[in-house]
Amino acid sequence: MSMTGQEMDNLFEKQSFWRNLSLFDWGWAGALILATAYVLQQYAAQMDVYELGILIGTTLSIIAWGWFWKPVRAYIVFVTLISLFSIYLYGNNLALGETNFFLKFLISSKSAIMWMSALYVLATVAYFIGLIIGSEFTNKTASAMTWSATVMGFVGLLVRWRESYLVHVDIGHFPVSNLYEVFILFSIITALLYLYYEGKSKTYTMGGFVLLVISAAVAFLLWYGFGSRGASEIQPLVPALQSYWMKIHVPANFVGYGAFALAAMLGVAYLIKDSMVKAGRNGAIINRFPDLDILDDVMYKSIALGFAFFTLATILGAMWAAEAWGGYWSWDPKETWALIVWLNYAAWLHLRLTKGWRGRPLAWWSVVGLFVTLFAFIGVNMFLSGLHSYGEL
């Protein structure tokens, strides 16, 4: 049976992909496989079949991620080395976090998260300075600070994971269990998504707008985590969260949230530039904004990516609910608002793909969509109660 021209093209593309993998690509895969084999040798007896599946799936995903986006390899290496150094310094004594210089001021979970927070705010300022004065050096400095902040944020989460076990083995848990932890996760994911599109579009001038929403998350994090609430302190998991589902449902959800936030801030940039151009105010600063076509394209790609992950997270959440509460869907306020968010972005993508909508209307929609998403993320916890009330403010 002969193949069609399209099938031959697809086969050729697949063969070309494998042929184009370099020695470094295979070395990357080999190093991760060896690291996973070591983890399995040390801890497989303490892991159930689901956790083994998550570990292997994560390894394969990171291998593919590093093949697809090569800059992330250095990021993962830095995060791994710093996290392991912090864990080594702790040993089995959590109290060293208050006496060891490196832990106290640099790489305990709280210190790393404070560095993350400071660097994100400084990067936001630097991006806007770079936009205003047109300085390539300032823009590159802002990008480097964003990378550094994202390293420290991920280090903070991984070290916090270890710290939770040092508090007590029964308290140890994957660090995405409360608003303090997930706001760190949100900041990291949104920054990584932005850095990917920054590299692909080869423009730094989107940075200030995207970093604004991350700085807002940092402000909330500092208020919520280090105030009188004591949310930064490690607490035992509530029974509803004591499940392997949390390790996959929550991260998938926050890829969606991060992508939607990124699209909304690019929508803001689009509306500002479009309004200024139509008003005839084509000053130097406006001319340094990204092209409207770039903003429109990245906004679309972000929402498409976010929608895919949010759909996956919703399916995983339904499966978790069936296991925990005996039913896939209960019209809990959190579930209902998740459905509203899903329908909102499904309609956005439908109008773009089938009706040819572009530009200003969808930019406005992406901005409004952020407020819908924000209510689903935080507002439900503040004003409504239900099965997900363990996440309330």
Side-chain angles (χ1 to χ4, degrees):
M1 183 176 65
S2 61
M3 291 190 294
T4 65
Q6 183 63 45
E7 288 171 336
M8 292 181 68
D9 289 343
N10 291 340
L11 179 61
F12 178 76
E13 287 175 4
K14 291 176 182 178
Q15 291 174 339
S16 297
F17 171 78
W18 293 107
R19 285 200 196 103
N20 289 333
L21 291 176
S22 68
L23 186 61
F24 286 106
D25 293 324
W26 289 112
W28 166 254
L32 285 168
I33 291 170
L34 287 174
T36 302
Y38 174 78
V39 172
L40 289 172
Q41 182 185 24
Q42 295 292 317
Y43 304 107
Q46 302 169 27
M47 302 170 73
D48 59 30
V49 64
Y50 302 106
E51 291 169 328
L52 289 171
I54 292 170
L55 174 62
I56 294 169
T58 301
T59 300
L60 295 175
S61 298
I62 295 175
I63 289 172
W65 193 19
W67 283 352
F68 180 71
W69 184 31
K70 290 178 173 52
V72 83
R73 297 178 190 177
Y75 170 76
I76 291 174
V77 169
F78 276 116
V79 168
T80 301
L81 292 177
I82 297 171
S83 299
L84 289 176
F85 182 54
S86 178
I87 292 168
Y88 167 76
L89 291 177
Y90 267 121
N92 291 313
N93 187 359
L94 185 62
L96 288 175
E98 297 299 323
T99 58
N100 182 277
F101 174 85
F102 288 103
L103 291 174
K104 185 173 183 179
F105 297 107
L106 294 172
I107 51 175
S108 68
S109 66
K110 287 184 180 180
S111 297
I113 290 161
M114 289 301 290
W115 278 108
M116 176 203 78
S117 303
L119 286 166
Y120 275 140
V121 173
L122 289 172
T124 306
V125 175
Y127 271 122
F128 277 116
I129 292 174
L131 175 64
I132 292 168
I133 68 176
S135 168
E136 186 77 1
F137 173 78
T138 304
N139 285 327
K140 289 182 177 180
T141 301
S143 183
M145 285 194 289
T146 304
W147 274 110
S148 300
T150 309
V151 167
M152 296 307 289
F154 204 176
V155 167
L157 280 183
L158 292 178
V159 174
R160 184 178 174 88
W161 194 356
R162 174 57 179 163
E163 289 171 351
S164 69
Y165 280 91
L166 292 178
V167 172
H168 194 279
V169 66
D170 294 330
I171 292 178
H173 61 270
F174 190 59
V176 290
S177 64
N178 59 28
L179 282 176
Y180 173 77
E181 293 168 347
V182 298
F183 260 88
I184 300 167
L185 181 66
F186 169 81
S187 300
I188 295 168
I189 288 174
T190 307
L192 283 172
L193 289 171
Y194 164 70
L195 289 166
Y196 170 75
Y197 289 117
E198 178 184 83
K200 289 295 180 181
S201 64
K202 294 181 172 55
T203 177
Y204 297 100
T205 50
M206 299 184 294
F209 295 96
V210 178
L211 268 290
L212 269 179
V213 77
I214 298 176
S215 291
V218 163
F220 177 88
L221 177 71
L222 296 176
W223 168 77
Y224 183 71
F226 296 98
S228 59
R229 299 174 181 275
S232 63
E233 301 302 322
I234 295 171
Q235 301 292 335
L237 279 180
V238 298
L241 296 178
Q242 294 173 7
S243 170
Y244 60 88
W245 287 106
M246 185 175 72
K247 296 181 176 71
I248 50 178
H249 168 69
V250 176
N253 223 10
F254 277 85
V255 174
Y257 285 149
F260 297 151
L262 170 62
M265 300 313 293
L266 296 183
V268 171
Y270 186 101
L271 292 169
I272 292 172
K273 180 165 185 176
D274 186 56
S275 298
M276 291 297 181
V277 170
K278 287 180 178 177
R281 299 180 181 177
N282 294 335
I285 296 176
I286 293 299
N287 288 333
R288 294 190 195 108
F289 273 53
D291 291 339
L292 292 176
D293 288 341
I294 291 177
L295 290 169
D296 183 75
D297 181 60
V298 177
M299 185 168 55
Y300 159 64
K301 289 176 179 177
S302 297
I303 287 180
L305 177 67
F307 182 75
F309 273 90
F310 196 79
T311 301
L312 174 64
T314 303
I315 294 169
L316 293 172
M319 295 171 70
W320 186 0
E323 183 178 292
W325 301 317
Y328 290 99
W329 197 266
S330 59
W331 295 105
D332 175 76
K334 197 78 169 182
E335 295 172 349
T336 303
W337 274 93
L339 178 61
I340 292 170
V341 171
W342 188 89
L343 291 172
N344 173 68
Y345 288 106
W348 193 102
L349 289 168
H350 173 76
L351 290 172
R352 180 181 175 96
L353 294 172
T354 65
K355 302 298 182 181
W357 281 30
R358 294 288 189 279
R360 194 175 183 85
L362 291 186
W364 271 114
W365 195 333
S366 70
V367 174
V368 173
L370 178 61
F371 290 97
V372 176
T373 305
L374 191 63
F375 188 83
F377 179 14
I378 300 177
V380 170
N381 302 68
M382 293 177 63
F383 303 114
L384 304 174
S385 61
L387 295 172
H388 292 79
S389 293
Y390 50 79
E392 65 189 4
L393 292 173

